[in-house]
Each structure stands twice: as structure tokens, then as C-alpha cells.
Amino acid sequence: VKLVESGGGSIDTGGSLRLSCTASEYTYSSFCMGWFRQAPGKDREVVATVNTRSTVTTYTDSVKGRFFLSRDSKKNILYLRMNDLTPEDSAVYYCAGTDWAQWNGGCPSRDFRFWGQGTQVTVSS
């Protein structure tokens, strides 16, 4: 499995970005995919995840209503649309995936075992 992120960059407060994650050699029938982020000096945190089996999508509270997850299943691309960005959103954003998914509910962070290399998002005030 290979995950490759793109779409990061520098932007002013209030701006928008769309991150893309292209997955290759992903042959599992049910799985989770998601975005995580890590800012300097902070722990990595989950941003948004989608369970392809239950179709449940979850967002961390700080991004609800601003970030939106979508997936092109035919192209194996996961998107994260980020609106109304603030400096607190600055971080390296990682795409991640699992090799299975529970039949209901979301995606436990501990299940993610495939990771991309990350893409930097910097929001200036």
C-alpha cells in the first residue's frame, strides 16, 4: 500500500485548501481512511476519518463545519477540503489507512497502519 499526499501549502487566515491522497495497491474490501495532523511540539491528532464499510465519517471537534472529507472510490483518492483556515490548523497533514473496518461506527486511530509522507499546511495570521 502506498499513500501519497498533495495539496499542502501556505495560505492566509480564512483561506481554503484541498488536500488529496492517492492510494495505490489498496486491495482491501473494507477499510478506513483518514487524515491526521501534527504541529511542532504537539502530538499527532486525528482530523477526519471515513469507514468505507459503515460509511460513517467523523471529524475532530475543532474542524467540524470547516473541513470536509470526500472520496473518489474509482480513482482511490481521498480528499480533505479545508475552509476558513486559522494558524491553529498549521501542521503536517498525513493521510492514513487501515486494512479492515468494523461493520458499524467509525475508525479507531489505533487501527491505522498505512501512512503517507505528509504534506505541510501553513496558515499565516
mmCIF file of all heavy atoms in Angstrom, residues 42-63:
data_model
loop_
_atom_site.group_PDB
_atom_site.id
_atom_site.type_symbol
_atom_site.label_atom_id
_atom_site.label_comp_id
_atom_site.label_asym_id
_atom_site.label_seq_id
_atom_site.Cartn_x
_atom_site.Cartn_y
_atom_site.Cartn_z
ATOM 1 N N LYS A 42 3.673 19.139 19.278
ATOM 2 C CA LYS A 42 2.391 18.568 19.686
ATOM 3 C C LYS A 42 2.281 17.122 19.213
ATOM 4 O O LYS A 42 2.970 16.700 18.287
ATOM 5 C CB LYS A 42 1.233 19.389 19.127
ATOM 6 C CG LYS A 42 1.158 20.798 19.672
ATOM 7 C CD LYS A 42 -0.103 21.500 19.190
ATOM 8 C CE LYS A 42 -0.221 22.896 19.806
ATOM 9 N NZ LYS A 42 -1.471 23.586 19.347
ATOM 10 N N ASP A 43 1.398 16.387 19.852
ATOM 11 C CA ASP A 43 1.142 15.014 19.432
ATOM 12 C C ASP A 43 0.338 15.005 18.138
ATOM 13 O O ASP A 43 -0.401 15.947 17.834
ATOM 14 C CB ASP A 43 0.365 14.260 20.512
ATOM 15 C CG ASP A 43 1.179 14.060 21.781
ATOM 16 O OD1 ASP A 43 2.423 14.018 21.691
ATOM 17 O OD2 ASP A 43 0.557 13.939 22.861
ATOM 18 N N ARG A 44 0.480 13.924 17.414
ATOM 19 C CA ARG A 44 -0.340 13.758 16.214
ATOM 20 C C ARG A 44 -1.797 13.581 16.631
ATOM 21 O O ARG A 44 -2.097 12.881 17.598
ATOM 22 C CB ARG A 44 0.135 12.546 15.424
ATOM 23 C CG ARG A 44 -0.567 12.329 14.106
ATOM 24 C CD ARG A 44 0.086 11.201 13.345
ATOM 25 N NE ARG A 44 -0.018 9.942 14.066
ATOM 26 C CZ ARG A 44 0.723 8.867 13.794
ATOM 27 N NH1 ARG A 44 1.609 8.917 12.819
ATOM 28 N NH2 ARG A 44 0.566 7.752 14.493
ATOM 29 N N GLU A 45 -2.683 14.209 15.893
ATOM 30 C CA GLU A 45 -4.105 14.099 16.200
ATOM 31 C C GLU A 45 -4.895 13.728 14.956
ATOM 32 O O GLU A 45 -4.516 14.089 13.835
ATOM 33 C CB GLU A 45 -4.645 15.416 16.774
ATOM 34 C CG GLU A 45 -4.620 16.573 15.819
ATOM 35 C CD GLU A 45 -5.387 17.797 16.334
ATOM 36 O OE1 GLU A 45 -6.144 17.673 17.311
ATOM 37 O OE2 GLU A 45 -5.211 18.876 15.729
ATOM 38 N N VAL A 46 -5.980 13.037 15.176
ATOM 39 C CA VAL A 46 -6.857 12.685 14.068
ATOM 40 C C VAL A 46 -7.650 13.915 13.660
ATOM 41 O O VAL A 46 -8.081 14.711 14.494
ATOM 42 C CB VAL A 46 -7.794 11.525 14.456
ATOM 43 C CG1 VAL A 46 -8.665 11.892 15.635
ATOM 44 C CG2 VAL A 46 -8.607 11.068 13.274
ATOM 45 N N VAL A 47 -7.821 14.097 12.373
ATOM 46 C CA VAL A 47 -8.601 15.214 11.845
ATOM 47 C C VAL A 47 -9.960 14.725 11.355
ATOM 48 O O VAL A 47 -11.002 15.247 11.746
ATOM 49 C CB VAL A 47 -7.854 15.910 10.693
ATOM 50 C CG1 VAL A 47 -8.712 17.025 10.097
ATOM 51 C CG2 VAL A 47 -6.519 16.457 11.182
ATOM 52 N N ALA A 48 -9.948 13.731 10.481
ATOM 53 C CA ALA A 48 -11.191 13.203 9.916
ATOM 54 C C ALA A 48 -10.944 11.792 9.407
ATOM 55 O O ALA A 48 -9.857 11.498 8.904
ATOM 56 C CB ALA A 48 -11.687 14.090 8.778
ATOM 57 N N THR A 49 -11.959 10.949 9.548
ATOM 58 C CA THR A 49 -11.843 9.580 9.065
ATOM 59 C C THR A 49 -13.142 9.151 8.406
ATOM 60 O O THR A 49 -14.215 9.683 8.709
ATOM 61 C CB THR A 49 -11.532 8.586 10.197
ATOM 62 O OG1 THR A 49 -12.620 8.565 11.131
ATOM 63 C CG2 THR A 49 -10.248 8.955 10.921
ATOM 64 N N VAL A 50 -13.036 8.166 7.533
ATOM 65 C CA VAL A 50 -14.212 7.587 6.907
ATOM 66 C C VAL A 50 -14.075 6.069 6.940
ATOM 67 O O VAL A 50 -13.020 5.525 6.639
ATOM 68 C CB VAL A 50 -14.419 8.094 5.466
ATOM 69 C CG1 VAL A 50 -13.226 7.797 4.588
ATOM 70 C CG2 VAL A 50 -15.695 7.516 4.872
ATOM 71 N N ASN A 51 -15.158 5.425 7.336
ATOM 72 C CA ASN A 51 -15.250 3.967 7.348
ATOM 73 C C ASN A 51 -15.982 3.554 6.082
ATOM 74 O O ASN A 51 -17.169 3.859 5.931
ATOM 75 C CB ASN A 51 -15.999 3.523 8.608
ATOM 76 C CG ASN A 51 -16.155 2.022 8.726
ATOM 77 O OD1 ASN A 51 -16.243 1.311 7.722
ATOM 78 N ND2 ASN A 51 -16.206 1.535 9.942
ATOM 79 N N THR A 52 -15.296 2.896 5.170
ATOM 80 C CA THR A 52 -15.919 2.550 3.895
ATOM 81 C C THR A 52 -16.975 1.453 4.051
ATOM 82 O O THR A 52 -17.787 1.261 3.151
ATOM 83 C CB THR A 52 -14.877 2.092 2.873
ATOM 84 O OG1 THR A 52 -14.265 0.883 3.332
ATOM 85 C CG2 THR A 52 -13.822 3.157 2.646
ATOM 86 N N ARG A 53 -16.963 0.757 5.155
ATOM 87 C CA ARG A 53 -17.949 -0.308 5.392
ATOM 88 C C ARG A 53 -19.240 0.262 5.973
ATOM 89 O O ARG A 53 -20.334 -0.039 5.512
ATOM 90 C CB ARG A 53 -17.362 -1.359 6.322
ATOM 91 C CG ARG A 53 -18.208 -2.615 6.460
ATOM 92 C CD ARG A 53 -17.465 -3.661 7.257
ATOM 93 N NE ARG A 53 -18.170 -4.931 7.291
ATOM 94 C CZ ARG A 53 -17.728 -6.011 7.911
ATOM 95 N NH1 ARG A 53 -16.562 -5.973 8.554
ATOM 96 N NH2 ARG A 53 -18.430 -7.115 7.915
ATOM 97 N N SER A 54 -19.122 1.088 6.994
ATOM 98 C CA SER A 54 -20.308 1.672 7.621
ATOM 99 C C SER A 54 -20.704 3.002 7.009
ATOM 100 O O SER A 54 -21.798 3.494 7.242
ATOM 101 C CB SER A 54 -20.047 1.884 9.116
ATOM 102 O OG SER A 54 -19.081 2.907 9.312
ATOM 103 N N THR A 55 -19.787 3.584 6.245
ATOM 104 C CA THR A 55 -19.907 4.925 5.626
ATOM 105 C C THR A 55 -19.906 6.054 6.653
ATOM 106 O O THR A 55 -20.203 7.190 6.303
ATOM 107 C CB THR A 55 -21.146 5.050 4.710
ATOM 108 O OG1 THR A 55 -22.325 5.122 5.509
ATOM 109 C CG2 THR A 55 -21.229 3.906 3.723
ATOM 110 N N VAL A 56 -19.567 5.734 7.884
ATOM 111 C CA VAL A 56 -19.520 6.776 8.905
ATOM 112 C C VAL A 56 -18.278 7.638 8.708
ATOM 113 O O VAL A 56 -17.160 7.146 8.575
ATOM 114 C CB VAL A 56 -19.511 6.145 10.309
ATOM 115 C CG1 VAL A 56 -19.220 7.201 11.370
ATOM 116 C CG2 VAL A 56 -20.839 5.464 10.588
ATOM 117 N N THR A 57 -18.505 8.938 8.708
ATOM 118 C CA THR A 57 -17.422 9.914 8.640
ATOM 119 C C THR A 57 -17.375 10.681 9.944
ATOM 120 O O THR A 57 -18.423 11.103 10.444
ATOM 121 C CB THR A 57 -17.626 10.892 7.478
ATOM 122 O OG1 THR A 57 -17.685 10.147 6.244
ATOM 123 C CG2 THR A 57 -16.476 11.886 7.379
ATOM 124 N N THR A 58 -16.204 10.853 10.486
ATOM 125 C CA THR A 58 -16.068 11.568 11.757
ATOM 126 C C THR A 58 -15.033 12.681 11.613
ATOM 127 O O THR A 58 -14.098 12.570 10.825
ATOM 128 C CB THR A 58 -15.650 10.622 12.891
ATOM 129 O OG1 THR A 58 -14.383 10.033 12.574
ATOM 130 C CG2 THR A 58 -16.672 9.507 13.089
ATOM 131 N N TYR A 59 -15.238 13.737 12.397
ATOM 132 C CA TYR A 59 -14.335 14.882 12.405
ATOM 133 C C TYR A 59 -13.985 15.233 13.839
ATOM 134 O O TYR A 59 -14.829 15.139 14.734
ATOM 135 C CB TYR A 59 -14.992 16.103 11.761
ATOM 136 C CG TYR A 59 -15.379 15.927 10.313
ATOM 137 C CD1 TYR A 59 -16.634 15.446 9.963
ATOM 138 C CD2 TYR A 59 -14.479 16.246 9.298
ATOM 139 C CE1 TYR A 59 -16.986 15.283 8.634
ATOM 140 C CE2 TYR A 59 -14.827 16.093 7.972
ATOM 141 C CZ TYR A 59 -16.092 15.604 7.644
ATOM 142 O OH TYR A 59 -16.423 15.447 6.330
ATOM 143 N N THR A 60 -12.766 15.678 14.046
ATOM 144 C CA THR A 60 -12.426 16.192 15.350
ATOM 145 C C THR A 60 -13.172 17.511 15.557
ATOM 146 O O THR A 60 -13.487 18.215 14.586
ATOM 147 C CB THR A 60 -10.906 16.380 15.495
ATOM 148 O OG1 THR A 60 -10.564 16.586 16.848
ATOM 149 C CG2 THR A 60 -10.414 17.542 14.666
ATOM 150 N N ASP A 61 -13.494 17.822 16.805
ATOM 151 C CA ASP A 61 -14.362 18.963 17.079
ATOM 152 C C ASP A 61 -13.857 20.275 16.488
ATOM 153 O O ASP A 61 -14.647 21.102 16.020
ATOM 154 C CB ASP A 61 -14.547 19.124 18.591
ATOM 155 C CG ASP A 61 -15.448 18.062 19.187
ATOM 156 O OD1 ASP A 61 -16.150 17.366 18.418
ATOM 157 O OD2 ASP A 61 -15.453 17.908 20.423
ATOM 158 N N SER A 62 -12.562 20.477 16.499
ATOM 159 C CA SER A 62 -12.019 21.772 16.083
ATOM 160 C C SER A 62 -12.174 22.053 14.590
ATOM 161 O O SER A 62 -12.011 23.193 14.161
ATOM 162 C CB SER A 62 -10.537 21.870 16.471
ATOM 163 O OG SER A 62 -9.784 20.886 15.801
ATOM 164 N N VAL A 63 -12.491 21.026 13.805
ATOM 165 C CA VAL A 63 -12.621 21.245 12.361
ATOM 166 C C VAL A 63 -14.040 21.059 11.861
ATOM 167 O O VAL A 63 -14.313 21.281 10.671
ATOM 168 C CB VAL A 63 -11.659 20.328 11.566
ATOM 169 C CG1 VAL A 63 -10.232 20.453 12.078
ATOM 170 C CG2 VAL A 63 -12.130 18.878 11.574
#
